């Protein structure tokens, strides 16, 4: 929980859901997991009170073929109907016969055609619709195609999972993360953020990269 007492601070709030797990498809890899949805509420005056925070974990990758991964868990800030309530949708799992890529914050990637090459669609852009001040980021997974390595990467907060010709030796990469400069790695100086977080977020503030596909 976050407790605000006395003053009414102006803050920017970032909420990131857990990413979806990748799939396993015998002989041809599996679709990549979609990134967890990313939501930002910039420059909000936070009223005194108690705000519950839930941090969603990432979904597990498939342990055996042919199975999809597990969806990522949702993340939230506040409790509806608080004005500061923010919802981030967990990422969709990757595709494996007979399951298409799952919908989620960002969608899971598809596997080879014709076995459920369909990728998952992004649901985060339609979240928090009751508050136009909240910015939402999520994209579709990459479609699968025929041939070795023709499996799609998971969608990212900053871009869709790539589709197109199959790669003979490797599956497609995941979609890009969304740059959020206001939340770049320099904020780690104000709290004990781990070094791997600082490295991953970097100076441009990247969040919500999609998972790469197997091949």
């Amino acid at each position: 929980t976050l407790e605000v007492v006395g003053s009414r601070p102006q803050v920017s709030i970032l909420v990131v859901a857990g990413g979806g797990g990748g799939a396993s498809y015998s002989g041809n890899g599996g679709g990549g997991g979609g990134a967890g949805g990313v939501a930002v509420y910039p420059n909000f005056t936070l009223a005194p009170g108690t705000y519950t925070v839930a941090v969603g974990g990432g979904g597990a990758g498939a342990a055996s073929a042919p199975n999809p991964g597990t969806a990522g868990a949702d993340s939230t800030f506040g409790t509806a109907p608080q004005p500061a309530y923010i919802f981030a949708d967990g990422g969709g799992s990757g595709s494996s016969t007979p399951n298409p890529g799952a919908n989620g914050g960002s969608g899971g990637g598809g596997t080879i055609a014709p076995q459920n090459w369909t990728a998952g669609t992004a649901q985060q852009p339609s979240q928090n619709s009751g508050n136009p001040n909240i910015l939402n980021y999520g994209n579709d997974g990459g479609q699968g195609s025929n041939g070795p390595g023709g499996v799609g990467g998971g969608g990212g907060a900053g871009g869709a999972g790539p589709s197109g010709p199959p790669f003979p030796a490797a599956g497609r990469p995941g979609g890009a993360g969304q740059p959020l400069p206001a939340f770049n790695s320099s904020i780690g100086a104000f709290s004990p953020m781990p070094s791997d977080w600082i490295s991953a977020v970097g100076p441009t503030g990247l969040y919500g990269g999609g998972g790469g596909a197997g091949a």
Side-chain angles (χ1 to χ4, degrees), residues 1-2 16 18 38 55 57 75 78-79 95 118 133 136 141 146 154 164 182 198 208 215:
T1 58
L2 172 69
V16 183
V38 174
V55 181
S75 294
T79 306
S95 167
T118 306
N133 297 311
N136 295 282
N146 282 313
I198 291 174

Side-chain angles (χ1 to χ4, degrees), residues 9-85:
Q10 189 175 64
V11 299
S12 291
I13 305 168
L14 167 66
V15 182
V16 183
S24 176
Y25 176 64
S26 180
N28 286 285
V38 174
V40 179
Y41 199 154
N43 304 318
F44 178 74
T45 301
L46 203 58
T50 300
Y51 299 86
T52 300
V53 179
V55 181
S64 61
N67 288 298
T70 303
D74 303 334
S75 294
T76 56
F77 180 91
T79 306
Q82 286 179 331
Y85 177 67

Side-chain angles (χ1 to χ4, degrees), residues 76-103:
T76 56
F77 180 91
T79 306
Q82 286 179 331
Y85 177 67
I86 307 169
F87 177 81
D89 195 5
S93 57
S95 167
S96 177
T97 301
N99 306 283
N103 302 335

Side-chain angles (χ1 to χ4, degrees), residues 141-193:
Q143 302 284 8
S145 60
N146 282 313
V151 281
S163 300
F167 294 86
R172 299 185 181 95
Q178 173 66 33
L180 298 170
F183 298 94
N184 67 27
S185 58
S186 67
I187 66 174
F190 299 98
S191 60
M193 303 303 290

